[in-house]
Amino acid sequence: MEISSYNILTNKGELLPNLCSSSPVRLTVWCKSLLFHGDGYTVFNDSDGHIVFRVDNYAHGRWNNNEMVLMGPRGHVHLTIRHCKKILSFTESWEIYKGDRDNHSSRLLKEPFLRVTKDLCNSTCTASMASAIAGNERSGFRLSWSRCDEWSKIHRLASDEQLVAEINRKFSNSKKILLGEDVLTITVQPGMDQAIVMALFMITKFMR
């Protein structure tokens, strides 16, 4: 069983409140773009079937210029995800920004909201995610998954390491037949930001 974990650091420890719910939310992720010639994802809310998020890439390959954006159904950019490449580095890193990173005039808004790092030499190790804020309080998330068993889990770093989101292959309504490999289900617990869950899922798809 292959299990990988990563460090995720928050600058403020905050989430995007308008994308949180007071009750559990179940999403269906179709690993396809609505664009005929584009890569990406389309995410639906199971309760009403409406599109919640879109990820569209007009270029070949899902990472265009090492960046992707997570959008709402009408194209509003919720988060920008940037892959930070370093030559001869033993780590991979990603930065997540609120909104469209290139359209922010404020330096504060250009700072990453979340920073994700992975040690290339420890791809199967377990690791805690530490807070970037001052003090010893643990903050952020711990992400782990099994590629063999096709599940992912996101825990909030706290004394009890609460499970805040879980990703699995999706079954049909009868729960007896697995749908295609490109159809997944995400269960997001109350108070957890759905956009951040989706961004972390996108990053893990490209971890080496």
Side-chain angles (χ1 to χ4, degrees), residues 47-63:
S47 65
D48 55 21
H50 291 165
I51 295 176
V52 181
F53 302 117
R54 290 169 42 200
V55 179
D56 300 322
N57 187 2
Y58 296 89
H60 293 292
R62 289 181 177 171
W63 290 93

Side-chain angles (χ1 to χ4, degrees), residues 31-75:
C31 301
K32 301 285 185 182
S33 168
L34 291 176
L35 299 172
F36 183 71
H37 293 293
D39 286 320
Y41 302 92
T42 307
V43 184
F44 304 88
N45 190 317
D46 282 12
S47 65
D48 55 21
H50 291 165
I51 295 176
V52 181
F53 302 117
R54 290 169 42 200
V55 179
D56 300 322
N57 187 2
Y58 296 89
H60 293 292
R62 289 181 177 171
W63 290 93
N64 184 17
N65 295 324
N66 298 318
E67 279 193 358
M68 291 195 77
V69 295
L70 179 67
M71 299 181 293
R74 298 183 178 180

Side-chain angles (χ1 to χ4, degrees), residues 15 21 24 28 33 55 59 69 82-83 97 101 122 126 128 147 152 154 160 167 171 179 200 202 206:
L15 301 177
S21 174
T28 292
S33 168
V55 179
V69 295
R82 180 171 174 261
H83 186 195
Y97 299 80
R101 186 175 73 100
N122 292 298
T126 57
S128 297
R147 294 198 186 277
S152 302
I154 299 174
D160 57 353
I167 304 150
F171 285 85
L179 300 180
L200 298 179
M202 290 163 59
F206 299 92

Side-chain angles (χ1 to χ4, degrees), residues 144-157:
S144 60
W145 79 83
S146 168
R147 294 198 186 277
C148 294
D149 295 330
E150 299 179 296
W151 57 258
S152 302
K153 294 181 180 180
I154 299 174
H155 289 81
R156 189 192 308 278
L157 279 184

Side-chain angles (χ1 to χ4, degrees), residues 23-169:
S23 58
V25 173
R26 191 178 298 274
L27 306 174
T28 292
V29 180
W30 183 40
C31 301
K32 301 285 185 182
S33 168
L34 291 176
L35 299 172
F36 183 71
H37 293 293
D39 286 320
Y41 302 92
T42 307
V43 184
F44 304 88
N45 190 317
D46 282 12
S47 65
D48 55 21
H50 291 165
I51 295 176
V52 181
F53 302 117
R54 290 169 42 200
V55 179
D56 300 322
N57 187 2
Y58 296 89
H60 293 292
R62 289 181 177 171
W63 290 93
N64 184 17
N65 295 324
N66 298 318
E67 279 193 358
M68 291 195 77
V69 295
L70 179 67
M71 299 181 293
R74 298 183 178 180
H76 172 74
V77 177
H78 291 305
L79 299 173
T80 299
I81 307 163
R82 180 171 174 261
H83 186 195
C84 306
K85 289 186 175 181
K86 295 183 179 180
I87 299 175
L88 300 179
S89 174
F90 290 100
T91 62
E92 285 188 284
S93 62
W94 288 258
E95 294 174 341
I96 303 176
Y97 299 80
K98 288 183 179 179
D100 189 341
R101 186 175 73 100
D102 294 332
N103 288 344
H104 290 325
S105 56
S106 167
R107 181 181 180 278
L108 179 61
L109 291 176
K110 288 185 177 181
E111 293 295 322
F113 176 63
L114 289 170
R115 185 170 290 113
V116 182
T117 60
K118 171 185 173 287
D119 192 331
L120 294 177
C121 298
N122 292 298
S123 62
T124 60
C125 74
T126 57
S128 297
M129 299 174 183
S131 173
I133 61 177
N136 296 322
E137 180 182 358
R138 300 177 72 198
S139 180
F141 309 97
R142 179 171 60 83
L143 176 62
S144 60
W145 79 83
S146 168
R147 294 198 186 277
C148 294
D149 295 330
E150 299 179 296
W151 57 258
S152 302
K153 294 181 180 180
I154 299 174
H155 289 81
R156 189 192 308 278
L157 279 184
S159 58
D160 57 353
E161 294 214 2
Q162 177 189 10
L163 178 68
V164 293
E166 189 169 3
I167 304 150
N168 293 282
R169 289 277 302 280

